[in-house]
Amino acid sequence: MKNAEVNRWLDFNKKRRLIEDKLDEQLAIQAHKLSLNEFYALYFLGLKDDEKLRLQELQAQVGLSQSAMSRLVVRLERPECGAIERTTCEDDKRGVYIHLTKVGEDVLKSTLPNIEPIIKENL
């Protein structure tokens, strides 16, 4: 039994996975060797004028669990990467802000030109 809506959803999902696989391949050969989720995190931070988001906001935008997001943040803030930094929210000491650093800005700027053509070609 065929269902047109389910088939459209499956086709869409297949195309999305294909694009994500191509993006992953491209990111893996870049100098910074980002994962796709790491790229997403930098990109979402770069969209903000002040280049910072609360950790929970960033987690929701990237679409990771709390523990997976914590691991991603640790990787991106390590000295060998240095793309982000954390600060405590002044209004709520339990809140954490994630900031894009100058290094993170440079990584994002150098990555985007290699990512855009893949998206354009496959949409």
Side-chain angles (χ1 to χ4, degrees), residues 101-119:
T101 64
K102 175 69 173 121
V103 170
E105 288 176 37
D106 293 343
V107 168
L108 186 57
K109 285 178 186 170
S110 69
T111 303
L112 278 171
N114 299 309
I115 295 300
E116 290 170 340
I118 294 170
I119 295 169

